[in-house]
Every structure is written in structure tokens, then in C-alpha cells.
Amino acid sequence: MATDFEYDLLVIGAGSGGVRAARMSAAYGAKVAIVEEFRVGGTCVIRGCVPKKLYVYASHFREEFEDAAGFGWQVPPATFDRLNAIYTRNLGASGVEIIAGRARLTGPHEVRIGDRNISARYILIAVGATPNMPQIPGIEHAITSNEAFDLERLPEAITIVGGGYIAVEFAGIFNGLGVKTDLVYRGEQILRGFDDDIREHLSAAMQARGIKLRLNSNIASIAPQGSGVRVEYEDGQSAETGLVMYATGRVPYTRDLGLEDVGVALGIKGEVVVDAFSQSSVPSIYAVGDVTERAALTPVAIREGAAFAETVFNNNPQAVDHSIIPTAVFSQPEIGTVGISEAEARRDHKVDIYKARFRPMKNTLSGNAEQMLMKLIVDKASDKVLGLHIIGPSAGEMIQAFGIAVTMGATKAQFDATIAVHPTAAEEMVTFKTPEPD
Ligand code: FAD
């Protein structure tokens, strides 16, 4: 291919979605180049899922040491004094040319990188998203998750702003590493959009673990003080802390990319508006991943990248189904969720709710008082499982497996027909007898 153009495909952004699309398109015979301004791998690998999970593991040890004492081990008080864990990866040899630099569109088939102009039959925008920070006085003294992985030393105290999954995950990490942690969120409860029982359970568990939650609260300004900062709240209160970290959402990274000049329609947050096949308003330009604001998760970006390659270079049009997405929050305790929340389910369905709250077996032996919650939301009319929510140890691992059943449209009767694995926490999901009273 690539007769009239230098390349069949030019991908902008070597993150989760872009790398998958580039590799698969090359495997289908396309001449492909990928442009990356920072490091190949993107957010997930360099400053997202992967380093975060390593920090979650690191911070869990404190609890493990405490639990170990309950099992009879003699453990000295746990402290942590090392911060590293950077993970890198190469694109590998798949015939894709890697071009270092920042790309800017100059036409429906043209991109400029430094002083080089490149033409391509198709252009794939896979530039991801970037942290969103409010423009308050002193914001320059705050960090985001981007910088959190590169701290040379841990602060004694941290104030994390935000109520989404990144905010609660980092609150768990810093708290677990022994940093006095406050979580400030302007809403009524953390994790908006998640099932209310899960939100309340996590909120209580985080506080029981020593995290101070300031709900219905927001920071008005930040000023340096001593080795840390002083924060003024909107309600007039103020407090000292070591560091402020903002995790108040991420916005598509389309600023100054030249998209508007070329006629690509953008949404209100700056996202590339695409159809079910990830095609933008300009037929030669497609977009996948966080930049499209569909579901900002690595496996979704990868799936969209793969569907793009199938559609454009394998004559096999594929639209990604975003309706059921199993997902985990690596908070402490961990959350696994698939399908819809009880509140959402009640809008359109008559439902049966099954709930189990119990201390996982490991906790009963260690003396750890923390409970686990499992919840099943079943449509009364069809018996289909509409939502399944877990908070407790290994919830993320469990939800990947339960996600298959829910994606397949499994019914409560099929859950009941499944033989339990004993003794596990997961067996609760196949042994529910009586729904909660209506
Ligand atoms: P990215 O992976 O962000 O890649 C975009 C790439 O484009 C970057 O490398 C960037 O440098 C490059 N780029 C941007 N503009 C240009 C330009 N003009 N020219 C050249 N290159 C450019 N998801 C999960 O599924 N599970 C998790 O546990 C999870 N944890 C997360 C934790 C954190 C702290 C964060 C921030 C995100 C997390 N995510 C998680 C989300 C996940 O990282 C993203 O959904 C995923 O990386 C999106 O992939 P992408 O291809 O859209 O963009």
C-alpha cells in the first residue's frame, strides 16, 4: 500500500490504544509510523495503571505485616523509605516506525513533527488525556498523579483533592506507606457513579484505616509554608500539609493539536467526536482511547485500537460495545464492579438485591475487623444479573471472571446452578438465597 502517501497509517501517541492499532495495522500489511512526544508506552505503562499497581502492592505490606501479627508472627513496626518503581517498555519489532517528537495536524492527511511534514492515508489520534487542575491561587505548588510517581521522598502528610478512582487509589497508597493522608472532595460522597453501598463501604473503610475524609469541601488557595504548604478551604478553614495532589479528572489532550483547523469536530471537553467505528468528522482521521472520552480505561483503549485496525486494514468493520465494562478500583480495600448500580437499575427495572457483608476468612484469623461486601442486582422480570459489585480482598481478580458471566447475560438461576468453591469469598455470589426486603 502507501502509493500516494508516505504511510498508510500515522498514529499520534504511543499509548495503550495507539500501540495496539499500529501493531495490528502493520500485521495486516499497512505501512505504519507512530509518533510519540514522551515515552513509548503511554499513561498506563509510565504513569498510570502499572506503576500505580506497584505502589498499591508496596503500600499493602503494612496491612500484611499487621495481619501477620494476628497469625502469630512477630513483626517489628513497618516503615517505608524508598520510592522508585518506574516501568518501561519498548514497542518492539513489528515493522512500525517510531518517530520521536510532538505531532500537529496540518491537513486531513498531513502531520508536522518538528520541521518534518509527513503524509498518510489515515491518521489515528491516540493522544490520551491530561490531568485537569483548577486555576486557584497557588496551584503551581500542587502535583498531579503524573508527578506522584517521581517523588524523591515521601511527605509526612498529603492532601489529595478529588473523589474519583485515581484520588481514592492514591489516598490508599500514601496512607498505606505511612503518610498522614487527607482526602478532600467537593461532593457528598466519593466515587460518583459507583453503587451507593460500595461508595459508603469504601468511605467508612478508608476512615477506619486512618484517612481523613473532607466531603462537601474544596480548596480555595495554596501557599508554601515551611517544608510543606498551607491550604485555605472555601469555608474559611485552613490547614498545613506536606503536599497537595490534585486528582480532579482528566481532559482529552487535544490542545494545540491542529484538529479544529483541519475540521475535526470536538466535544465540550475537547474530545474527538467519533462514530461507532472511531471515525471522526474528517473521514481520513480516526481517534481511539481517552481522547474520545468514551471509557478512560486501558483495556477499552486497546480494544478500540484493535477494532480500528480490523475496520480500516482488514475489511472487517468492528464497533466496540461499551455497554458492559468490568472494572476494578485499586483502593484499599479493593473494588470490583460490572454492570449497573442499584440506583441505575431501579430507574428502569424491578429488581431483587442480594447482599452479603462478612469478614473474609483471613480477617477472622488475623483479627482485622474490616468486612467485605458483595452485592448482586437481579432483574425480577428476566432473572438476568444487571450488576455485580464487590469490595474487599481480590475484588479486581474476581470481577474479571464474574465479568464474563455478566457480559454473557447470565441469570441468577445460572449463578445458583454454579457449584461453590469453598472456602472462598467469591462463593457468596453463587449461594445467595434471600433478597433484601423491598
Ligand atoms: P495514553 O496511554 O495516555 O497515550 C497517549 C500518548 O500520546 C502518550 O504517550 C503521550 O505522550 C502521547 N502524545 C500526546 N500528544 C502527542 C502529540 N501531539 N504528539 C506525539 N505524542 C503525543 N486504566 C485501567 O484500565 N486500569 C487502571 O488501573 C488505570 N489506572 C490509572 C492510573 C492513573 C494514575 C492514570 C492517570 C490512568 C489510569 N488508567 C487506568 C487509565 C489508562 O492509563 C488510560 O485509559 C490509557 O492509558 C489510555 O490510553 P490511550 O492510548 O488513550 O492514551
Side-chain angles (χ1 to χ4, degrees):
M1 275 198 260
T3 45
D4 306 335
F5 302 100
E6 222 173 314
Y7 295 96
D8 296 309
L9 173 65
L10 183 82
V11 180
I12 306 180
S16 309
V19 167
R20 178 56 58 97
R23 281 180 166 172
M24 280 186 62
S25 301
Y28 288 134
K31 185 174 179 212
V32 184
I34 192 164
V35 195
E36 173 54 55
E37 68 170 344
F38 182 51
R39 278 157 56 190
V40 169
T43 304
C44 183
V45 173
I46 292 158
R47 41 196 182 194
C49 341
V50 174
K52 175 196 75 188
K53 190 87 191 272
L54 295 179
Y55 279 94
V56 170
Y57 281 132
S59 66
H60 255 296
F61 279 100
R62 184 154 100 161
E63 186 190 21
E64 302 286 340
F65 289 136
E66 282 165 14
D67 283 353
F71 281 89
W73 291 90
Q74 290 197 351
V75 193
T79 54
F80 182 81
D81 61 4
R82 209 173 110 239
L83 266 191
N84 59 359
I86 293 291
Y87 185 100
T88 57
R89 187 182 73 174
N90 288 324
L91 188 61
S94 55
V96 176
E97 187 183 329
I98 302 171
I99 303 171
R102 178 167 175 80
R104 196 173 192 286
L105 271 85
T106 48
H109 298 278
E110 284 89 39
V111 165
R112 193 169 175 79
I113 304 149
D115 52 11
R116 183 175 169 194
N117 289 312
I118 293 180
S119 70
R121 188 182 305 272
Y122 294 102
I123 295 170
L124 180 67
I125 312 294
V127 295
T130 188
N132 180 34
M133 289 173 101
Q135 287 317 307
I136 57 163
I139 193 71
E140 65 278 12
H141 303 297
I143 64 161
T144 68
S145 61
N146 282 354
E147 295 77 37
F149 297 115
D150 298 329
L151 295 178
E152 281 177 9
R153 59 178 186 84
L154 286 171
E156 273 179 26
I158 191 163
T159 299
I160 297 176
V161 190
Y165 82 90
I166 295 178
V168 300
E169 289 177 341
F170 274 91
I173 290 170
F174 281 106
N175 182 61
L177 293 177
V179 178
K180 183 177 162 301
T181 304
D182 288 9
L183 183 66
V184 178
Y185 178 51
R186 64 177 181 189
E188 299 271 315
Q189 186 55 284
I190 52 172
L191 289 185
R192 191 161 56 88
F194 284 72
D195 187 88
D196 288 338
D197 281 320
I198 297 287
R199 299 169 75 192
E200 277 152 33
H201 191 102
L202 179 64
S203 178
M206 285 172 75
Q207 292 179 74
R209 286 166 178 244
I211 296 171
K212 184 171 169 202
L213 274 190
R214 285 183 76 120
L215 298 174
N216 300 304
S217 177
N218 209 356
I219 292 179
S221 66
I222 305 167
Q225 177 165 311
S227 59
V229 289
R230 170 159 288 275
V231 294
E232 299 280 342
Y233 287 94
E234 284 177 353
D235 65 5
Q237 292 186 35
S238 71
E240 257 182 69
T241 185
L243 188 65
V244 178
M245 173 181 154
Y246 271 84
T248 42
R250 292 170 60 81
V251 287
Y253 192 33
T254 49
R255 203 173 357 101
D256 203 26
L257 200 57
L259 288 166
E260 301 93 322
D261 305 343
V262 173
V264 174
L266 300 182
I268 44 167
K269 285 181 82 181
E271 72 273 21
V272 178
V273 178
V274 289
D275 68 9
F277 298 98
S278 297
Q279 191 173 29
S280 79
S281 57
V282 174
S284 58
I285 300 177
Y286 286 69
V288 295
D290 287 8
V291 74
T292 63
E293 273 279 301
R294 288 178 282 188
L297 291 166
T298 282
V300 176
I302 291 174
R303 185 63 67 88
E304 290 168 359
F308 159 83
E310 287 293 338
T311 303
V312 176
F313 293 107
N314 196 33
N315 199 20
N316 174 27
Q318 274 190 13
V320 175
D321 178 2
H322 294 88
S323 62
I324 298 182
I325 299 176
T327 184
V329 177
F330 296 100
S331 47
Q332 297 178 35
E334 191 171 301
I335 294 171
T337 172
V338 60
I340 54 180
S341 67
E342 178 178 342
E344 226 179 318
R346 285 195 186 282
R347 257 175 250 148
D348 301 320
H349 306 263
K350 289 213 172 332
V351 289
D352 279 331
I353 306 293
Y354 297 86
K355 266 191 234 178
R357 261 198 190 85
F358 56 96
R359 272 168 92 191
M361 198 169 164
K362 185 177 163 205
N363 288 4
T364 60
L365 291 175
S366 68
N368 181 337
E370 193 167 277
Q371 288 199 319
M372 180 155 193
L373 170 67
M374 296 201 154
K375 181 168 176 180
L376 202 58
I377 300 161
V378 179
D379 180 32
K380 271 192 208 272
S382 64
D383 198 40
K384 247 170 95 163
V385 174
L386 301 175
L388 190 158
H389 310 279
I390 306 170
I391 179 163
S394 305
E397 299 293 339
M398 281 184 230
I399 212 67
Q400 182 67 84
F402 283 125
I404 302 171
V406 176
T407 304
M408 288 174 75
T411 60
K412 171 75 166 63
Q414 288 168 324
F415 269 58
D416 294 344
T418 306
I419 291 178
V421 178
H422 186 72
T424 64
E427 66 181 311
E428 293 292 331
M429 283 295 183
V430 298
T431 52
F432 278 126
K433 294 281 178 297
T434 320
E436 300 278 295
D438 274 334

